[in-house]
Structure formats: C-alpha cells, structure tokens
C-alpha cells in the first residue's frame, strides 16, 4: 500500500488528505493544530506527533502549508533530514516562485525528487477531489507525481521545471483578480445606467464580455446559482487569499521586470477592500465596494 505523509491539514489539506485515505492509501498526517489532527483521524488517516515521525517511512510526502516561509522551514528542518531518499516530495501550497526553486534545489541536492504542485479550486474541490494541479518538476518525474496527486485531482498539468507550477498559479490568479474587477465594474456601471443586472448578464455572457468570472462565478446575485454572490459572498475563495496571490504576482513582476499595471491596480483594490473589512468575504464581493457599499461582515 502506498504510504503518504500529509503535512498541513487546514481548510484545503484536510479534504485532500481525506481523499488520499479514501483511495486506500496509508496516510500519516501531521498538523500543528490538534483539531485538524482529530478531523484527519475521523477521515481515516493515522496521525503523527511530528513532521519527522510522519515522513519517516513515506513513499510520498505532500505539504499544504500557508506560505513560503512555512514551506522552507518544514522542508529544511523536518522533511529533508528525516524522509527516506526514495520519497517523492510534492508541495501543493501556493508560495513564491523563488522559495519553490530554493526548496527544489535543496531537495535535489539531498537526493530527493521534488515537485511544486499548487492547486486551483477552493475547499469544495479539495473535499470532492476535483482540484486542478499545476506542476513544476523534472519531466522524468511527472508520471510519478501524477500518481501521487490522482485521488485529489480533476486535472493535472505539467507547467515546466521547478517553480513553473507556482508561476502558472500566480499568473492564472492575476487574470482571475483582474477579470473579476472588470466584471464587477461593468455591473456597477450597468446599475447606474438603469440596466437590469440579470439582463446585462444574459447579454454579456453571449457577447465578447463573456469570461469565467462572469459566467461561472457571477458577482451579481441571481444568474449563476452556485456562485458565492447568492450566499452573501460566504465561502468560496476569500479576498485575503486573492490578495496573497496578487501580492505574490507583484513581487514576481518586480523581480523579473515584467510590466503588470492591471495586476498592480487589482492588488491595490483588493488591499483596499481587505482594509474595509472584506478579507473573509469571497473575492467577488469587491462588487459591493465598487457599488459604493461597505462590506457586510458578520
Ligand atoms: P489553512 O491556514 O487553513 O491551513 C494551513 C495548515 O497548515 C494549518 O492547519 C496550520 O496549522 C498548518 N501548519 C502551519 N505550519 C505548520 C507546520 N510547521 N507543521 C505542520 N502544519 C503546519 O490554509 P488553506 O486554506 O488550507 O491553504 C493552504 C495553502 O493552499 C495556501 O498556500 C493557500 O494559498 C493555498 N490555496 C488555498 C485555497 C483556498 O481556497 N483555501 C485555494 C487554493 C490554494
């Protein structure tokens, strides 16, 4: 039986580890939070008292941690010194490209295979095992990485070498942040012009304004029943998470010299919405700010 060490059992990692166990794999899970460990145990995982204990006999290690510094520390201090060299290391956290490349280089120098494999899709996709994975790894390792990821995934695509998975993730989410603001501005303008929101949706979704933010995740309540706009913007992908990804994109743009003026503006607008209290709301709630309303926090 494949033995998976799963480190980081939060909103995303909890469901992902559960899907590894559901697929019949022996999952040894670890998180700093006792409540997260209890949830993992209830989902069929064995729990470990430390990262070192979790990885000691693993065939593969999957990490789902908050940000770059956590990933750097957990790999340098706990995974690389204690995992067997045969273990395939997969980091699915969303982190900066530089950290991903640094961890990959350390892992490779220590004799490990490593992949950065961030995900698209929120907690519902993590629970359902339908995430999209964007992978940066050696070409020769991709089939093995796909095998580890399979129970958690709807689609797994190789973006390129180490760091390319994280690059794909922040570029994708920069498109998403910008396009959501564009769609929200259009609804705010339509409203001022006396154009019914649902009618505008019917027209734009069949015209050149069509995009994912409009037709799959409509920020205007009504036209897309599954969108968070229909549940007071609760759940979904939080503004704080979108802001984190836009910041990563801007840091990468500054370091690489790419011109991303709309990405920069999107970051500024999401930072403002966060400051106004919208951080925990779904990122499509920025429509409220553009309509001149304060976010409705609970
Ligand atoms: P989360 O904060 O809910 O979970 C992170 C978990 O890591 C926590 O349970 C925390 O206790 C644990 N942790 C932190 N340091 C640790 C350590 N040293 N050892 C063991 N465990 C440790 O975050 P999340 O929402 O699950 O997101 C995880 C990653 O996935 C982030 O990088 C995020 O950007 C990315 N992501 C999140 C979503 C989303 O919708 N939530 C979607 C796509 C990607």
């Amino acid at each position: 039986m494949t033995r998976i060490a799963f480190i980081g059992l939060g909103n995303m990692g909890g469901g992902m580890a559960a899907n590894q166990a559901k697929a019949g794999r022996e999952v040894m899970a670890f998180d700093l939070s006792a409540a997260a460990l209890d949830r993992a145990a209830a989902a069929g995982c064995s729990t470990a008292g430390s990262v070192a204990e979790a990885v000691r006999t693993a065939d593969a290690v999957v990490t789902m941690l908050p940000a770059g510094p956590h990933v750097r520390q957990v790999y340098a201090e706990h995974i690389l010194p204690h995992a067997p060299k045969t273990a395939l290391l997969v980091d699915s956290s969303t982190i900066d490209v530089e950290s991903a490349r640094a961890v990959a280089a350390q892992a490779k120098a220590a004799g490990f295979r490593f992949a950065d494999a961030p995900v698209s899709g929120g907690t519902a996709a993590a629970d359902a095992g339908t995430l999209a994975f964007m992978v940066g790894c050696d070409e020769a390792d991709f089939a093995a990485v796909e095998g580890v990821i399979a129970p958690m995934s709807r689609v797994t695509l190789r973006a390129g070498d180490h760091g390319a998975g994280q690059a794909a993730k922040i570029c994708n989410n920069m498109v998403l942040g910008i396009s959501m603001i564009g769609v929200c501005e259009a609804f705010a303008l339509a409203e001022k012009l006396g154009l019914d929101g649902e009618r505008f949706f019917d027209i734009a979704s069949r015209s050149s304004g069509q995009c994912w933010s409009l037709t799959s995740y409509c920020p205007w309540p009504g036209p897309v029943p599954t969108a968070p706009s229909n549940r007071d913007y609760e759940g979904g992908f939080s503004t704080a998470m979108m802001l984190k990804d836009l910041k990563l994109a801007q840091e990468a743009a500054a370091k690489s010299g790419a011109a991303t003026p709309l990405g920069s503006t999107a970051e500024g607008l999401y930072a403002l919405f966060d400051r106004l209290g919208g951080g925990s709301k779904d990122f499509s709630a920025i429509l409220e700010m553009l309509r001149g309303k304060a976010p409705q926090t609970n």
Side-chain angles (χ1 to χ4, degrees):
M1 190 192 287
T2 310
R3 284 163 303 195
I4 308 279
F6 208 110
I7 315 299
L9 308 163
N11 293 325
M12 296 293 288
M16 293 161 72
N19 283 320
Q20 291 285 357
K22 239 184 254 168
R25 294 170 175 191
E26 199 180 306
V27 181
M28 187 61 107
F30 179 72
D31 194 291
L32 297 175
S33 148
L37 283 172
D38 289 346
R39 280 194 301 274
C45 304
S46 301
T47 57
S50 66
V51 176
E53 186 193 333
V55 304
R56 198 158 286 140
T57 60
D59 298 315
V61 178
V62 181
T63 42
M64 196 56 173
L65 296 165
H70 305 84
V71 174
R72 283 181 185 256
Q73 192 220 349
V74 167
Y75 271 82
E77 293 176 18
H78 305 291
I79 297 178
L80 301 183
H82 297 289
K85 303 283 184 216
T86 47
L88 177 58
L89 311 179
V90 178
D91 177 43
S92 286
S93 328
T94 300
I95 65 171
D96 56 292
V97 174
E98 217 172 64
S99 291
R101 290 191 177 139
V103 171
Q106 280 169 12
K108 211 168 180 173
F112 289 94
R113 293 165 298 154
F114 173 86
D116 49 291
V119 303
S120 175
T123 51
D127 291 345
T130 56
L131 292 164
F133 284 76
M134 312 163 198
V135 181
C137 69
D138 286 345
E139 200 161 9
D141 297 335
F142 182 61
V145 173
E146 252 189 318
V148 169
I149 285 171
M152 311 182 285
S153 159
R154 172 178 56 81
V155 58
T156 300
L157 300 167
R158 182 170 175 271
D161 293 334
H162 295 125
Q166 297 294 352
K169 167 76 184 175
I170 59 173
C171 291
N172 179 74
N173 279 23
M174 188 174 76
V175 173
L176 179 60
I178 292 169
S179 72
M180 181 55 77
I181 290 169
V183 168
C184 289
E185 285 189 5
F187 274 109
L189 176 60
E191 184 178 40
K192 287 282 184 204
L193 298 177
L195 172 59
D196 178 69
E198 299 240 6
R199 201 68 205 119
F200 170 60
F201 173 87
D202 288 341
I203 293 164
S205 62
R206 280 179 258 176
S207 305
S208 48
Q210 190 278 331
C211 65
W212 188 90
S213 292
L214 178 70
T215 51
S216 295
Y217 214 83
C218 186
W220 190 268
V224 178
T226 52
S229 53
N230 299 298
R231 14 177 234 275
D232 198 20
Y233 303 98
E234 294 300 332
F237 184 52
S238 73
T239 289
M241 287 281 184
M242 173 53 84
L243 183 55
K244 174 194 159 187
D245 291 357
L246 289 170
K247 278 186 197 297
L248 287 175
Q250 285 314 294
E251 283 162 20
K255 281 186 189 144
S256 64
T260 55
L262 288 179
S264 167
T265 302
E267 185 207 344
L269 286 169
Y270 274 108
L272 180 59
F273 186 49
D274 185 53
R275 287 287 302 276
L276 289 171
S280 65
K281 291 281 180 185
D282 180 76
F283 77 112
S284 63
I286 200 164
L287 172 63
E288 298 291 279
M289 184 179 85
L290 295 168
R291 290 170 85 192
K293 295 182 177 181
Q296 302 294 307
T297 46
N298 296 323

